[in-house]
């Protein structure tokens, strides 16, 4: 090829009409799915999971015991591989699918497990292996001394500011749609628990003029919420800020609706159950609880969609929680005394669950 011809090829701009343009769902998915491949590599290389499952169906308990794994990350891993078609459930047992055995079991002549395992010493892959064994979420590598948990870092100014502004940006995508899904026409007072910048309350207030809101947040996020709501012209006339720790302090008792938006998925099941009990105890009779997050729809035993299972890996790695499925949430809500549990699909693999206080 002549230099002139080469230069011509280099200078020719890409024909963007031939490229699939990303929408907002894809832009968010690239972030939310960032740890899923590392979990896959850890399972293939450090566990040799699919050789173990090759011709050897096991229960979840048997799998955890064999590899000395913890419950929460193991459940996340199984849901991911079910969504990818690598694991199937039959008769209460986990089976490797034909494709998983063919390509990922060392007993198969067509396997590429060693090729996958060439990435096993990458730091993020080893981190996922450690999470599987230890169930730790202290994975935030921020210069704050020995503090490496998201919960502790959120009580420092710089980290809390970055995360709250990030969640504000996320809320600009989701909050308008939440306001169309959550009917607040019969409510006059809402408690937004762990409400961050207050973006979800703000959009509900703009849609429902009779509604007022209270944002319940820890310092320093409470002050960040105040500045965001002042900028929107909603504070102090229609919204107030109450500083407190939702796990420790009593919840305000004057609301007919409690909102948890992108909150409960950060926490383990015991803390989620605690918050549901506290909401049930402080809500007015007939009051409602609304939970907006990523809830895989597993009604009828269906596997989680892949994008939702992938997002759960990120939450399991960096936080204490995961993407709780609809059936997970319904069980915990009913245990806390709620009923009439509803499920509403939203944008970008998110969904809204609403339940009513029965007594």
């Amino acid at each position: 090829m002549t230099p002139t011809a080469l230069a011509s090829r280099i200078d020719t701009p890409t024909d963007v009409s031939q490229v699939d343009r990303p929408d907002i769902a894809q832009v968010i998915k690239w972030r939310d799915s960032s740890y899923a491949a590392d979990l896959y590599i850890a399972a293939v290389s450090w566990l040799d999971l699919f050789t173990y499952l090759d011709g050897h169906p096991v229960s979840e308990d048997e799998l955890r015991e064999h590899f000395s794994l913890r419950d929460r990350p193991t459940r996340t891993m199984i849901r991911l591989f079910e969504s990818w078609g690598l694991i199937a459930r039959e008769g209460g047992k986990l089976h490797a699918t034909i494709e998983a055995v063919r390509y990922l079991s060392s007993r198969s002549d067509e396997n590429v497990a060693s090729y996958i395992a060439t990435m096993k010493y990458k730091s993020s892959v080893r981190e996922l292996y450690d999470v599987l064994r230890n169930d730790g979420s202290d994975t935030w590598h921020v210069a704050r001394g020995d503090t490496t948990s998201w919960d502790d870092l959120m009580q420092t100014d710089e980290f809390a500011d970055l995360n709250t502004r990030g969640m504000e940006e996320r809320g600009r995508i989701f909050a308008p749609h939440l306001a169309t899904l959550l009917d607040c026409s019969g409510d006059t007072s809402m408690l937004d628990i762990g409400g961050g910048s207050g973006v979800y309350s703000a959009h509900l207030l703009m849609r429902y003029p009779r509604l007022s809101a209270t944002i319940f947040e820890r310092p320093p996020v409470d002050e960040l919420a105040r500045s965001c709501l002042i900028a929107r012209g909603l504070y102090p006339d229609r919204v107030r800020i109450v500083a407190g720790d939702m796990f420790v302090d009593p919840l305000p008792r004057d609301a007919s609706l409690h909102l948890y938006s992108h909150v409960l998925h950060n926490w383990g099941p015991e803390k989620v159950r605690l918050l549901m009990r506290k909401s049930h105890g402080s809500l007015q009779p007939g009051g409602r609880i609304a939970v907006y997050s990523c809830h895989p729809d597993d009604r009828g035993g269906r596997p989680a969609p892949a994008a939702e299972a992938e997002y759960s890996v990120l939450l399991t790695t960096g936080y204490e929680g995961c993407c709780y499925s609809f059936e997970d949430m319904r069980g915990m809500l009913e245990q806390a005394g709620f009923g009439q549990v509803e499920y509403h699909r939203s944008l970008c693999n998110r969904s809204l669950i609403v339940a009513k206080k029965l007594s």
Side-chain angles (χ1 to χ4, degrees), residues 159-227:
F159 190 87
D161 180 77
L162 171 63
N163 275 266
T164 302
R165 294 188 187 283
M167 299 310 105
E168 163 75 15
E169 292 174 3
R170 178 180 64 183
R172 293 175 200 159
I173 304 300
F174 293 111
H177 198 244
L178 170 63
T180 68
L181 292 177
L182 182 57
D183 183 4
C184 297
S185 57
D187 296 293
T188 57
S189 179
M190 175 182 70
L191 180 63
D192 190 350
I193 302 165
S197 69
V199 61
Y200 297 95
S201 286
H203 281 268
L204 287 165
L205 291 172
M206 288 186 285
R207 186 175 179 87
Y208 296 97
R210 295 177 57 249
L211 186 65
S212 65
T214 299
I215 310 295
F216 193 76
E217 260 293 3
R218 286 187 309 190
V221 179
D222 61 326
E223 288 302 322
L224 296 171
R226 196 183 317 275
S227 64

Side-chain angles (χ1 to χ4, degrees), residues 51-358:
T51 301
Y52 170 67
L53 291 176
D54 183 358
H56 181 231
V58 296
S59 67
E60 287 191 31
D61 289 341
E62 290 169 334
L63 187 148
R64 282 196 305 271
E65 183 178 355
H66 176 79
F67 290 109
S68 299
L69 305 181
R70 303 295 293 274
D71 178 71
R72 181 181 69 111
T74 301
R75 194 174 186 201
T76 294
M77 177 181 70
I78 291 169
R79 281 184 169 170
L80 176 68
F81 294 154
E82 285 182 305
S83 78
W84 283 2
L86 297 176
I87 285 179
R89 293 177 189 264
E90 296 177 20
K93 298 282 189 176
L94 302 173
H95 298 246
T97 63
I98 294 172
E99 294 77 12
V101 169
R102 180 179 180 183
Y103 298 122
L104 299 172
S105 168
S106 63
R107 300 193 186 102
S108 167
D109 293 337
E110 297 182 72
N111 89 85
V112 292
S114 294
Y115 176 66
I116 306 300
T118 59
M119 303 299 291
K120 70 183 292 185
Y121 295 108
K122 191 160 69 93
S123 60
S124 55
V125 173
R126 183 55 194 248
E127 183 176 84
L128 263 296
Y129 179 46
D130 290 340
V131 169
L132 282 168
R133 294 183 303 163
N134 303 319
D135 198 18
S137 57
D138 294 348
T139 56
W140 295 85
H141 304 294
V142 184
R144 293 290 183 277
D146 294 330
T147 300
T148 55
S149 76
W150 174 83
D151 190 25
D152 290 339
L153 288 166
M154 279 299 291
Q155 297 176 65
T156 64
D157 289 341
E158 182 180 349
F159 190 87
D161 180 77
L162 171 63
N163 275 266
T164 302
R165 294 188 187 283
M167 299 310 105
E168 163 75 15
E169 292 174 3
R170 178 180 64 183
R172 293 175 200 159
I173 304 300
F174 293 111
H177 198 244
L178 170 63
T180 68
L181 292 177
L182 182 57
D183 183 4
C184 297
S185 57
D187 296 293
T188 57
S189 179
M190 175 182 70
L191 180 63
D192 190 350
I193 302 165
S197 69
V199 61
Y200 297 95
S201 286
H203 281 268
L204 287 165
L205 291 172
M206 288 186 285
R207 186 175 179 87
Y208 296 97
R210 295 177 57 249
L211 186 65
S212 65
T214 299
I215 310 295
F216 193 76
E217 260 293 3
R218 286 187 309 190
V221 179
D222 61 326
E223 288 302 322
L224 296 171
R226 196 183 317 275
S227 64
C228 289
L229 292 163
I230 288 172
R232 285 191 164 97
L234 295 169
Y235 181 87
D237 294 337
R238 298 189 60 199
V239 61
R240 64 180 180 137
I241 312 291
V242 174
D245 185 324
M246 61 187 178
F247 297 115
V248 177
D249 299 317
L251 301 178
R253 303 182 65 87
D254 58 351
S256 63
L257 172 67
H258 282 189
L259 174 65
Y260 294 91
S261 186
H262 287 105
V263 171
L264 297 184
H265 65 203
N266 291 335
W267 307 103
E270 290 308 311
K271 289 184 177 179
V272 173
R273 293 187 185 98
L274 170 63
L275 292 173
M276 289 181 177
R277 291 195 300 269
K278 292 183 72 171
S279 282
H280 187 272
S282 62
L283 273 167
Q284 298 175 3
R288 297 178 299 153
I289 183 172
V291 184
Y292 187 75
S293 181
C294 176
H295 302 111
D297 184 0
D298 58 348
R299 289 175 291 185
R302 71 186 77 175
E308 298 174 20
E310 291 166 6
Y311 182 32
S312 195
V313 180
L314 181 148
L315 294 171
T316 302
T317 305
Y319 305 84
E320 297 177 24
C322 63
C323 289
Y324 294 105
S325 72
F326 172 75
E327 293 295 350
D328 292 335
M329 293 297 298
R330 178 161 64 180
M332 290 189 284
L333 285 164
E334 290 177 348
Q335 187 180 47
F338 292 97
Q340 301 179 24
V341 184
E342 303 172 358
Y343 183 86
H344 306 274
R345 295 293 302 172
S346 185
L347 306 172
C348 304
N349 302 303
R350 280 8 180 220
S351 50
L352 171 67
I353 294 176
V354 182
K356 187 175 182 180
K357 180 177 177 177
L358 297 179

